[in-house]
Amino acid sequence: MTNEFEARERAVVDLVADIVAAYVSSNSVASGDMPAVIECVQAAIAGLADRQPVIAATPKATGAQIRSSITHDALISFIDGKPYKALRRHLTGHRLDPQTYRQRYGLPVDYPMVAPSYSARRSEISRSFHIGKRG
């Protein structure tokens, strides 16, 4: 247990030293003020350890919001409010998958990831090339 405590203390000291060094490299500090700067940084870091982590609650979408997010030509993203024909690439850019996106915003399991018009057009193209047909 003592080794773990000592390792944490060393890590805090190293962190304080790095922060103070970065601050002093960009700001002029009188040598008499250095102990106060170090003490202030150390107190701030100690205060962070006492705080509870803040978990941002993502508001769940209402039924009306869900219905209005699905238009004929696009799906409106709950992340940034912009329209997309397909959400998969947009979600990947935010390190989400469709299942996580649906859960985060309270969307139904069958919430589409592709706009209806885009899906219909792709389906039409597939039929014209007889993709999926045997013989």
Side-chain angles (χ1 to χ4, degrees):
M1 189 70 108
T2 305
N3 290 337
E4 185 178 322
F5 178 76
E6 288 174 359
R8 282 189 187 163
E9 285 297 314
R10 269 188 303 240
V12 169
V13 168
D14 289 343
L15 186 58
V16 169
D18 290 344
I19 292 170
V20 170
Y23 180 77
V24 171
S25 70
S26 299
N27 299 285
S28 61
V29 178
S31 59
D33 293 337
M34 282 301 292
V37 171
I38 294 169
E39 186 177 316
C40 182
V41 171
Q42 193 279 331
I45 291 174
L48 291 175
D50 297 336
R51 294 176 59 187
Q52 293 294 323
V54 177
I55 300 173
T58 305
K60 302 296 182 195
T62 64
Q65 290 172 325
I66 293 170
R67 285 189 297 278
S68 66
S69 72
I70 304 170
T71 66
H72 181 68
D73 294 324
L75 298 173
I76 308 301
S77 168
F78 285 99
I79 297 171
D80 61 7
K82 294 180 182 178
Y84 296 92
K85 288 183 181 182
L87 286 175
R88 189 171 300 272
R89 183 176 289 170
H90 170 62
L91 296 179
T92 303
H94 291 278
R95 295 185 177 160
L96 292 172
D97 58 57
Q99 180 182 1
T100 307
Y101 177 73
R102 289 179 179 124
Q103 287 174 348
R104 179 177 288 180
Y105 294 100
L107 304 173
V109 177
D110 62 345
Y111 185 84
M113 289 291 119
V114 178
S117 66
Y118 186 70
S119 179
R121 179 70 182 130
R122 299 301 300 168
S123 180
E124 187 180 301
I125 290 170
S126 295
R127 273 191 237 111
S128 71
F129 287 113
H130 304 290
I131 296 174
K133 302 250 181 179
R134 293 186 181 178

